[in-house]
Amino acid sequence: MKTKEIIAEGNKYVMNTYGRLPLALVKGKGARVWDAEGKEYLDFVSGLAVNSLGHCHPRVVKAIWRQADTLMHVSNLYYIEPQVRLARLLVENCCADRVFFCNSGAEANEGAIKLARKYAKLHHGPDKFEIITAKRSFHGRTLATITATGQSKFQKGFEPLPGGFKYVPFNDLEALQQAAGPNTCAVMLEPIQGEGGIYPATREYLQGVARLCREKNLLLIFDEVQCGLGRTGNFLAYQLYGVEPDIITLAKALGGGFPIGALLAKEHAAAAFQPGDHASTFGGSPLACTAALAAVQVLLEEGVIENARVMGEYLKDKLNQLAQRHRQIKEVRGAGLMLGVEVEDKGPDIVNRCRERGLLINCVNNNVLRFLPPLIIKEKEIDAAIEILDKALGG
Ligand SMILES: *Cc1c(COP(=O)(O)O)cnc(C)c1O
């Protein structure tokens, strides 16, 4: 099918939930993708932080290929070797002790919400159920996770929303201190807010939040669905901040392009889940876990995280240089290869002009250009992207 036909049929048969661009990608390799007409693009969207190893990484492709031919799915009624191996690898590389596998970020956060409530019920009685989240946060599209999301635009039209959530301004410790009451059981935050516009937490804030949680017996949940798994130049983003959460959620990059999510927890929290409390038919399948095992091994063994750190600095410097020449750039912020460029307005126009010139980026809130290149990106590819962006920003 050609692009025109794919678009026409897509508009007819697929539910109209995405503001899609007139582009149909049919092939990818490394940091590049191709559309149905064979036009090449540099991909600085990476499937929204999914394709961190670039498209079709050979180790991930081979692992999927082999496992698909061996065993794709069995029930969690049985032990699953790739699931056990992946859980162990994750636990050995972070502060958590146990893992539950699911299929997406929203599901991982649903699991985190359930685990926090269950823990609080067990240890502190029936009145502790409230979860505090941040304004501008994003935690997913299920009913509970749009409610956890501190942005009303994701909630409108879906009321009544589940109860038990409260919102505070991000990076404001005093507001959190005041909000945490007798019903509060947990605080859930993205160390770097993604969909909200790339806003990193400050070190003082997260350290203060962790202290407050200890004092008030609250579980600390970090949603690292977007910022985790090497994106910031650390394996997980919490490692940038010198604090340890009780619960961590992952998805996006975990499967190297294959769908998988994970809920990780320290032993005391994880122990609140008993057989029957939580489940997912597809969660932790042999195929998904084999893909993720290969992806996380590549991430840890092939210098990918170091590259994200070095190239993140390089890209940030280049964007700051552009900011000196283009007055419409108001701020460059973020960490590693999770960077946002706040412009005065008309972000979508800049995104379109970049696309026409062969660079894919996206835009959040109309005024923040988001850069999420694969973590295997090279200096030359960043130079090419910057040249395109420079032209797209105009004179
Ligand atoms: C993308 C995202 C989610 C939702 O993940 P899905 O896999 O789309 O359900 C949750 N939290 C954060 C921080 C995200 O960026």
Side-chain angles (χ1 to χ4, degrees), residues 48 103-109 137-142 145 190 192-195 223-227 249 251-252 260 338 370:
L48 283 173
N103 311 287
S104 69
E107 269 182 80
N109 287 332
S137 62
F138 182 82
H139 298 297
R141 298 295 203 129
T142 63
T145 56
E190 297 157 84
I192 301 176
Q193 294 186 321
E195 300 307 304
D223 177 346
E224 296 221 18
V225 169
Q226 188 164 151
C227 63
T249 56
K252 294 203 162 96
I260 179 170
M338 182 173 178
R370 177 166 51 173

Side-chain angles (χ1 to χ4, degrees), residues 21 328 341-355 361-370 389 392-393:
L21 303 168
Q328 58 176 309
V341 173
E342 188 168 329
V343 291
E344 244 141 44
D345 59 355
K346 304 220 172 93
D349 293 347
I350 299 167
V351 169
N352 282 334
R353 288 200 292 273
C354 284
R355 189 182 75 251
I361 56 171
N362 96 316
C363 175
V364 276
N365 298 335
N366 276 315
N367 68 337
V368 182
L369 305 175
R370 177 166 51 173
L389 180 65
L393 284 164

Side-chain angles (χ1 to χ4, degrees), residues 7-70:
I7 291 173
E9 304 236 329
N11 289 342
K12 185 168 175 202
Y13 292 111
V14 179
M15 277 202 205
N16 194 19
T17 62
Y18 299 97
R20 278 179 298 230
L21 303 168
L23 178 62
L25 300 170
V26 297
K27 190 181 136 168
K29 191 78 209 152
R32 289 182 165 72
V33 285
W34 288 267
D35 70 13
E37 274 68 46
K39 182 176 168 173
E40 183 180 306
Y41 300 85
L42 258 177
D43 185 5
F44 275 44
V45 175
S46 300
L48 283 173
V50 168
N51 304 109
S52 284
L53 307 178
H55 292 274
C56 300
H57 190 283
R59 273 178 77 180
V60 178
V61 170
K62 198 166 156 196
I64 292 173
W65 196 273
R66 279 195 181 157
Q67 188 63 43
D69 202 31
T70 307

